[in-house]
Amino acid sequence: MFDFMRDFFLNFGTIGLLAWTVIKILAITLPVIVSVAFYVLAERKVIGWMHVRHGPQFVGRIFGIGWIQAFADVFKMLFKELIVPTNASPFLYKLAPLLALAPALAAWAVIPFDDAVVLADVNAGLLVLLALTSMGVYGIILAGWASNSKYAILGALRSAAQVISYEIAMGFALVGVLVAAGTMNLSGIVNAQAGDNGFFEFFFFPLFPLFVIYFISGVAETNRAPFDVAEGESEIVAGFHVEYSGSAFAIFFLAEYANMILVSFLAALLFLGGWLSPFQGWGIPLLSANGWWWLFAKAGFFAFAFLWFRASFPRYRYDQIMRLGWKVFIPITIAWIFFTAVAAYFNWFVLGA
């Protein structure tokens, strides 16, 4: 069916190619936006259960869960007035949410959902991801500066320092994956984890320290608890988006949760074999079959971990966050990159095979 639709549109030349590309973009972007809405609902329910209380349960109540609550919140924010502060820079104030959202959605273009199911199967996919995800901080910095508010600029400065610090650790962790797989293509990285030994082929085992550092850095990159000092409500009211309301605040919200889902998918692709079955090569009926459902199951677990962290850990102090990034994560990643390179050179374990 997929090949038939592609061939149908390509028969119309350039216009058909453009139409087919737009359809693929919408086929990725719209589910991501809908997933954010349900992810917010899941967060409120999961944290409620962890706190021994009820989350949303009345708006669109089915099985005791308010399924429509997230969409009701979205419509409420979209129809609320966008109030621009008197002393703010109007153009930059309105541009900042778009700068935060655009990289969060554009990064999905290089994410493979199954073998050969990807919008842009570029050879330097890992490099593209690093470039796009690092641009999101510009929207945060611009929002803090353009708001002309002391709380907003404090949150923006915190976020800038935090993202820069953990971007280095995350980049070094991905260098280890690059050395192990021998390619920057995301589909190639997943295929490098294929074999007959099931989940023992995954990079999760030989690169475990890099996996831990990558995922914790991903939590810090998305400004999520316990690294949410950029929007620490008890310290600086709401951080960089304290002066935002209505649709602009909704865009910041969408960008943050889209990035959380993106980090979850990347953790599954880079370290847990993506769409590869944990039982590959074992000959178990159904369980040994590879497919997109494995990728979504693995990403779902990591997405749940974001919610678990928020309910379990108190917020780090700012100096603790900086010390963890610079004095702990970066030295460990550098040492493990060296170990990975030596192990790959001497073929001590199967890497990039």
Side-chain angles (χ1 to χ4, degrees), residues 253-269:
F253 207 74
L254 173 61
E256 178 179 326
Y257 280 79
N259 277 325
M260 291 163 59
I261 299 174
L262 177 67
V263 169
S264 302
F265 269 85
L266 284 175
L269 288 167

Side-chain angles (χ1 to χ4, degrees), residues 4-350:
F4 172 77
M5 292 178 61
R6 179 190 59 194
D7 296 339
F8 173 78
F9 280 100
L10 293 182
N11 288 333
F12 295 94
T14 305
I15 296 178
L17 177 62
L18 179 61
W20 177 238
T21 303
V22 171
I23 289 174
K24 289 194 294 183
I25 292 173
L26 292 176
I28 295 175
T29 305
L30 294 181
V32 168
I33 295 174
V34 174
S35 298
V36 167
F38 281 108
Y39 191 29
V40 174
L41 174 64
E43 178 180 32
R44 297 177 66 179
K45 294 298 290 187
V46 168
I47 293 179
W49 291 331
M50 289 183 174
H51 291 170
V52 197
R53 59 179 173 81
H54 297 291
Q57 55 179 328
F58 294 110
V59 182
R61 181 167 183 167
I62 303 175
F63 303 117
I65 299 176
W67 295 95
I68 309 178
Q69 181 66 58
F71 297 97
D73 292 338
V74 170
F75 288 125
K76 179 190 72 173
M77 285 191 288
L78 291 179
F79 286 104
K80 289 179 70 174
E81 181 182 3
L82 174 60
I83 301 174
V84 180
T86 303
N87 296 323
S89 302
F91 174 73
L92 297 179
Y93 177 86
K94 296 175 182 177
L95 178 64
L98 299 178
L99 285 180
L101 178 63
L105 295 180
W108 286 92
V110 296
I111 298 296
F113 298 97
D114 204 340
D115 198 14
V117 181
V118 58
L119 177 61
D121 192 22
V122 296
N123 291 330
L126 205 57
L127 189 61
V128 171
L129 273 173
L130 284 173
L132 287 174
T133 53
S134 64
M135 290 179 62
V137 69
Y138 291 107
I140 295 175
I141 296 173
L142 199 59
W145 183 84
S147 298
N148 199 18
S149 165
K150 60 181 179 182
Y151 292 123
I153 193 63
L154 279 174
L157 291 175
R158 284 181 173 190
S159 180
Q162 178 175 317
V163 169
I164 290 172
S165 301
Y166 284 87
E167 192 78 36
I168 299 173
M170 178 182 288
F172 282 167
L174 296 185
V175 168
V177 175
L178 168 62
V179 172
T183 177
M184 286 195 291
N185 181 276
L186 290 175
S187 296
I189 291 174
V190 173
N191 291 327
Q193 302 174 66
D196 296 329
N197 296 319
F199 54 83
F200 293 108
E201 301 280 358
F202 295 165
F203 291 157
F204 174 82
F205 292 99
L207 303 181
F208 181 74
L210 298 184
F211 160 74
V212 173
I213 290 174
Y214 167 79
F215 192 64
I216 295 177
S217 297
V219 176
E221 283 276 303
T222 52
N223 293 319
R224 291 288 298 181
F227 303 101
D228 57 338
V229 293
E231 37 188 87
E233 293 86 353
S234 59
E235 303 169 19
I236 49 177
V237 186
F240 60 91
H241 51 54
V242 64
E243 300 293 344
Y244 282 88
S245 61
S247 57
F249 177 78
I251 291 175
F252 273 122
F253 207 74
L254 173 61
E256 178 179 326
Y257 280 79
N259 277 325
M260 291 163 59
I261 299 174
L262 177 67
V263 169
S264 302
F265 269 85
L266 284 175
L269 288 167
L270 300 175
F271 295 96
L272 280 182
W275 58 82
L276 300 178
S277 168
F279 310 102
Q280 56 179 331
W282 290 8
I284 303 175
L286 298 180
L287 292 179
S288 295
N290 300 324
W292 57 267
W293 51 88
W294 286 114
L295 172 61
F296 280 75
K298 297 168 186 175
F301 170 77
F302 290 121
F304 173 76
F306 275 94
L307 314 183
W308 195 353
F309 294 161
R310 179 177 177 181
S312 303
F313 295 107
R315 183 182 301 125
Y316 270 61
R317 285 202 323 264
Y318 186 66
D319 62 305
Q320 292 174 329
I321 291 177
M322 291 294 102
R323 182 169 63 250
L324 180 66
W326 288 99
K327 294 186 177 181
V328 178
F329 282 179
I330 292 178
I332 291 176
T333 52
I334 293 175
W336 211 261
I337 287 172
F338 176 77
F339 168 76
T340 305
V342 172
Y345 181 80
F346 289 104
N347 198 26
W348 289 346
F349 39 70
V350 179

